[in-house]
Every structure is written in structure tokens, then in C-alpha cells.
Amino acid sequence: MSQPDLYAVLGVSRDADADTIKKAYRKLARQLHPDVNPDPDASARFQEIGRAYEVLSDPQKRAAYDRGGDPFGGMGAGFGQGAGFSFTDIMDAFFGGQAAGQSRGPRPRTRRGQDALIRLEIELAEAAFGVTRELKVDTAVVCSTCHGEGTSPGTHAQTCETCRGAGEVAHVQRSFLGEIRTLRPCAACRGFGTIIPDPCRECSGDGRVRSRRTLTVKIPAGVDTGTRVQLADEGEVGPGGGPPGDLYVEIHVARHPVFTRQGNDLHCTVTVPMTAAALGTTLELPTLEADVVPPDGGSTDLETTFELDVRPGTQSGTEQVLRGRGVPGLRGGRGDLVVTIAVETPTRLGPREEELLRELAAIRGEEQPSAKLKAGSPRKGAFGRLRDAFNAH
Ligand SMILES: [Zn+2]
Ligand SMILES: [Zn+2]
């Protein structure tokens, strides 16, 4: 099996130090993480860089790799496999893939932790303009008693006597093909190569404990339901106090009583009386910014109202687009505010009102209006408006 050059996978030179390797890995992991990169190739690449990092971040495995050994060989593969031979075992034993006697080194006690995901519900205005929130998170953190070592204070892990620190032992079994020697993870130390004689009482030797802590999270302006905000190194600490994974905060935007969001545009409906729609008027309406109260309660340069010009003769269903009054985009720009005007027909007329309306109807010759049938629905899309424009000629 040909193996990719692990240094090339991470894009580092062969003499790169541990810090450089870690930085290179983190940078790639951020680009390729399946949560942020939907490209199917990215997922395979993400696993590839994970495997490369697993080896190059571990001094023993890296040394084994540099010597030309297979640092992945059988890592944990022997666990729970039972006594039988698999076809791979036999092929490996005969063709040298897993030749007995060739050391692959123990598996590390310290491994990178997993990413964590939490959900956060925020208001529409907070999603639009950004917000800073305190979050309670419950993750594994490094055990403060043993600092991740897993050993009782004053004691240390000791080399396993069964495997002499190799983490694996040779198995010899007979089969119809002859004697087969395979390397299996050492049962005494579970492949670690070391034994903790006196585990830390706080973490039972795991090097990490669960802890609830409060994090301050800055949610950028323009997020929407489903957006994941990444907090590097705030996820689970790994076994043996290993480097932490990342924490992802998945945003869920609550429904707003007035504004609905479509992409970066905001939509709302305003009702105006029939008389105002006929005569025209100007309305002052609250913007989404009105929801944002400055923390100090002081003045703000946000525009909390906007003027809507209702032209004389406005029809019910008319849309007015206010450019740049929508939600700011995550990558700049801002959507529009689309206001739909609904004309309210008066109900329960007083005697004088009815008299005036009847008089108006008489003047306009509308006492016995003839029904005019038209195609389409009163709420026209862009196509409907276009068709109307053609029909007008
Ligand atoms: Zn501990
Ligand atoms: Zn052992």
C-alpha cells in the first residue's frame, strides 16, 4: 500500500517543529471541516489531514514514520477481533504488510478531543446586527489535579512490562498455511506501552474531567438559522489531556412578530385605511433597528423609524421596496425591506359615513358597478406585473 507523504499532506517541511505542524493542521482543518465545507472531496481530505496530524504530532509515531515504518499499523485494530484470522492478517503476515518484529510503536495516551456543537436561539435583530452572548457550555477540560497526565500526584506512568513499552505483542498461531506471526496490541497496557499504577482520583486516569463554564461569544451581524459560529479550541479536551476540539455554536433565529426574513431581505405588511390609500399619506413605521436597545440605554445613531410614502390611489397588495433597509450580509452589503400595503375597507359604518360614501359612489357613477373580470391573482409576482405592462398598451 503506497502512503501519501504526510508532510506534504499538511504542507510542511520534514524538519518542521511541533508548533508549525499544529498550526498547519489547524488552518487546513478549519477550511476542510465537513461542517463548514460541503465539498465531498473536503471530507476525504479532512480525514487525510487528521491521519497525518495524528502521526506527525506524536513524537514516537513521527520518528517511526521517518524511519519508514507504518505508524498506523493495526492501531487498535486487534481489539475485539476474536481469535480467528482475517484474510488481511494472513496476507499481511506473508507479504510483509505487518511483518512480526517490526515495531510500530505504542498508541499515544494523548489524543485530540472532539468538536462540540451547541444550539443558540437569538432574536431576529440580534442575528441582523450581531450580539454578544454568554453561553454555558459543558465540555471535557484538562484535569487540574494531574494536568492531563492521568496519574496520582507524585506518581508517573510506567513502562509496561508485558510489551516492554512497545504497546504490542507478537502472536504466533498455526494455520493451514503454516506458522503465522502477527502483532497485536498489548492486552496489559491496552496498546499504550505504559501503565498507570496509581490513577488520578479526580479523572480516573483519563486526564480530563467534565466542567461547566461560561463563554462569551460574539455572534457576527448577518447570521441566519443554521449558521455555525466556530470557536477554536473550545470543544472537548482529548483523552490524556489532549488538544481540544473546536466548539460550534449553531444559530437558530426566533420568529419576529412583524418582520419575516427571506435571505437578506425583510418583509412586512402595513395596513392603511381605504381613505388614506385613496388620498395618499405618509406613515412613520419602526425599523428592525428599533429592537436594538443600546446597552447603556443612551442615544444611538441607528435609524429606528422609516417613512413610508403611500401615494394617492395606492392599491391593496402594492409592494414598496426600501433599498438597504434589510439584513446586513455576512460578507457585507445589505438586503432590502419590502413593505406590502394592505388597504382596509371600513366595516360598521355610521349613518353619516354611509351617507358620504353613497354620495361619493353617486358622483363616481359606481352605484351599480359592472363586474370586471381579470385574469390572475391580486398578489402579482414580477411576471404578473410584466404582463400587465404589456396589456396596458
Ligand atoms: Zn486527573
Ligand atoms: Zn503493554
Side-chain angles (χ1 to χ4, degrees):
M1 187 181 83
S2 76
Q3 259 208 17
D5 180 349
L6 301 185
Y7 291 96
V9 166
L10 291 183
V12 296
S13 65
R14 292 192 83 83
D15 56 4
D17 60 24
D19 201 42
T20 308
I21 288 170
K22 186 180 176 187
K23 276 189 186 139
Y25 168 70
R26 296 211 67 87
K27 194 175 158 216
L28 287 168
R30 246 167 241 155
Q31 292 165 4
L32 298 167
H33 195 285
D35 282 342
V36 294
N37 194 329
D39 188 345
D41 288 345
S43 161
R45 277 272 290 140
F46 183 72
Q47 287 180 8
E48 195 183 28
I49 61 162
R51 282 164 68 87
Y53 183 66
E54 191 183 314
V55 173
L56 299 184
S57 63
D58 181 85
Q60 274 174 316
K61 281 193 188 171
R62 186 178 176 185
Y65 173 71
D66 287 344
R67 284 196 305 271
D70 175 8
F72 297 118
M75 271 231 326
F79 289 115
Q81 248 182 15
F85 288 106
S86 72
F87 181 67
T88 322
D89 280 339
I90 294 170
M91 297 311 280
D92 283 348
F94 276 89
F95 300 108
Q98 211 186 35
Q102 180 196 333
S103 176
R104 298 179 305 257
R107 66 187 182 123
R109 285 193 178 273
T110 302
R111 273 174 292 144
R112 183 182 187 265
Q114 291 186 327
D115 294 339
L117 176 71
I118 53 172
R119 230 175 83 119
L120 175 66
E121 181 160 303
I122 58 175
E123 299 300 326
L124 180 59
E126 294 175 326
F129 309 118
V131 66
T132 301
R133 278 289 190 91
E134 305 249 288
L135 282 185
K136 292 226 187 308
V137 292
D138 190 340
T139 62
V141 297
V142 176
C143 172
S144 58
T145 305
C146 64
H147 306 288
E149 236 189 307
T151 52
S152 238
T155 71
H156 292 286
Q158 288 167 5
T159 305
C160 172
E161 283 171 12
T162 308
C163 63
R164 296 203 179 84
E168 53 201 358
V169 287
H171 256 257
V172 182
Q173 282 190 272
R174 294 184 190 286
S175 81
F176 63 98
L177 288 168
E179 188 177 90
I180 290 171
R181 287 169 62 84
T182 51
L183 286 173
R184 291 284 167 83
C186 170
C189 62
R190 292 188 297 139
F192 290 123
T194 55
I195 281 176
I196 295 178
D198 190 7
C200 167
R201 258 154 232 148
E202 198 61 39
C203 63
S204 309
D206 194 29
R208 52 182 183 165
V209 289
R210 292 212 76 79
S211 160
R212 202 168 163 78
R213 65 210 152 97
T214 304
L215 273 178
T216 304
V217 186
K218 215 174 133 61
I219 307 294
V223 297
D224 202 351
T225 294
T227 307
R228 286 180 176 184
V229 178
Q230 184 189 32
L231 301 171
D233 300 334
E234 298 287 2
E236 309 275 351
V237 157
D246 298 330
L247 176 70
Y248 289 87
V249 180
E250 189 176 279
I251 301 296
H252 188 264
V253 182
R255 281 179 74 94
H256 191 276
V258 170
F259 298 106
T260 55
R261 178 172 175 177
Q262 286 174 22
N264 289 334
D265 293 340
L266 289 176
H267 290 252
C268 68
T269 299
V270 63
T271 54
V272 296
M274 179 189 76
T275 46
L279 300 170
T281 187
T282 303
L283 299 172
E284 193 175 80
L285 300 167
T287 61
L288 183 59
E289 280 94 327
D291 286 9
V292 184
V293 180
D296 55 1
S299 66
T300 166
D301 53 2
L302 295 173
E303 292 180 75
T304 54
T305 59
F306 68 96
E307 284 199 344
L308 185 76
D309 196 23
V310 179
R311 283 180 285 271
T314 292
Q315 304 295 311
S316 200
T318 303
E319 281 182 353
Q320 280 213 35
V321 179
L322 290 101
R323 300 264 168 239
R325 292 290 197 146
V327 174
L330 266 176
R331 288 167 200 83
R334 204 170 159 179
D336 302 328
L337 173 59
V338 182
V339 184
T340 304
I341 297 170
V343 177
E344 254 181 343
T345 306
T347 53
R348 285 186 290 181
L349 297 170
R352 172 77 179 129
E353 292 168 340
E354 190 178 341
E355 191 184 338
L356 280 173
L357 276 180
R358 288 205 184 283
E359 196 180 329
L360 179 64
I363 292 167
R364 292 178 60 84
E366 291 169 350
E367 290 154 302
Q368 286 293 317
S370 57
K372 276 176 271 179
L373 289 178
K374 259 168 77 175
S377 74
R379 269 193 71 99
K380 299 182 191 93
F383 189 76
R385 280 196 290 273
L386 190 67
R387 186 194 54 211
D388 286 355
F390 275 110
N391 290 346
H393 292 285

